[in-house]
Amino acid sequence: TAATAWAGTLWGTENSVHFETSVMLPALDNQKVWAGLKLTNDQLVATDANQIFFKYQTDATNSEAFSDYSYWHLVHSIGGTDYISQIPVTVAANTPYHLKIEIDSDRKAAIFVNGIQYNVTTTSGSTGGTAVTAGTTKTAALTDDIDLIPYVGIEAGAAAAEAVNCHYVACSRNVYE
């Protein structure tokens, strides 16, 4: 889980962490792609009790069953309770996506895709995904003092190789630890 040098930095939920990346998927077959802040590099929702990350997957093989596999989803977990927001952004091959998470001083996170802010679901559940719309609803307060790690990852679900083009990752925080 320390596969990145950023694992040595304290990206604590209490530090007003901002994470953003730009990714593009060359193909949309047999894959899971995730980007955000997690405790481990695993794409499964149930692995980490505290996390917030974007996820796209083409199927439920070695993963959760989503209601619709054509959209980006936001997964966030607070103290072991999982929430999945189905963002109304259809994923297309060879299309850049700017994904952004902003955790404020109250530990509440706002999410953005391609510069548009989306509501975050307050309905718990680790499967399906709750459809959300553009808006300003943030998460409830994330668990205090949890040091998350920035990740962008991909997992191939078949024998074929898959790829994610990551244009950049930017992460910042208030420094007072």
Side-chain angles (χ1 to χ4, degrees), residues 10 18 35 37 42 47 51 53 56 59 62 66 82 109 113 115 123 130 133 135 138 153 156-157 159 169-171:
L10 300 177
H18 290 197
L37 301 161
D42 188 14
T47 301
Q51 61 193 342
F53 67 101
Y56 167 74
D59 55 52
N62 191 32
F66 284 171
D82 303 319
V113 177
T123 304
T130 302
T133 58
K138 297 180 178 183
V169 174
C171 205

Side-chain angles (χ1 to χ4, degrees), residues 100-164:
K100 185 175 183 181
I101 299 166
E102 293 182 350
I103 302 171
D104 67 18
S105 60
D106 294 324
R107 300 185 325 276
K108 296 179 180 179
I111 62 163
F112 303 81
V113 177
N114 295 336
I116 299 171
Q117 185 173 358
Y118 289 93
N119 292 315
V120 180
T121 187
T122 56
T123 304
S124 64
S126 60
T127 61
T130 302
V132 297
T133 58
T136 59
T137 303
K138 297 180 178 183
T139 66
L142 302 176
T143 306
D144 191 25
D145 204 24
I146 300 294
D147 293 322
L148 300 169
I149 303 169
Y151 283 105
V152 174
I154 186 168
E155 179 179 302
E162 299 295 345
V164 58

Side-chain angles (χ1 to χ4, degrees), residues 48-99:
D48 296 337
N50 294 284
Q51 61 193 342
I52 182 164
F53 67 101
F54 292 94
K55 185 175 185 182
Y56 167 74
Q57 61 187 47
T58 55
D59 55 52
T61 303
N62 191 32
S63 199
E64 302 79 29
F66 284 171
S67 301
D68 192 322
Y69 295 103
S70 61
Y71 297 113
W72 280 106
H73 289 74
L74 178 89
V75 175
H76 75 283
S77 303
I78 302 172
T81 302
D82 303 319
Y83 304 83
I84 302 174
S85 301
Q86 179 183 290
I87 303 167
V89 176
T90 303
V91 179
N94 296 311
T95 302
Y97 295 97
H98 177 226
L99 309 173

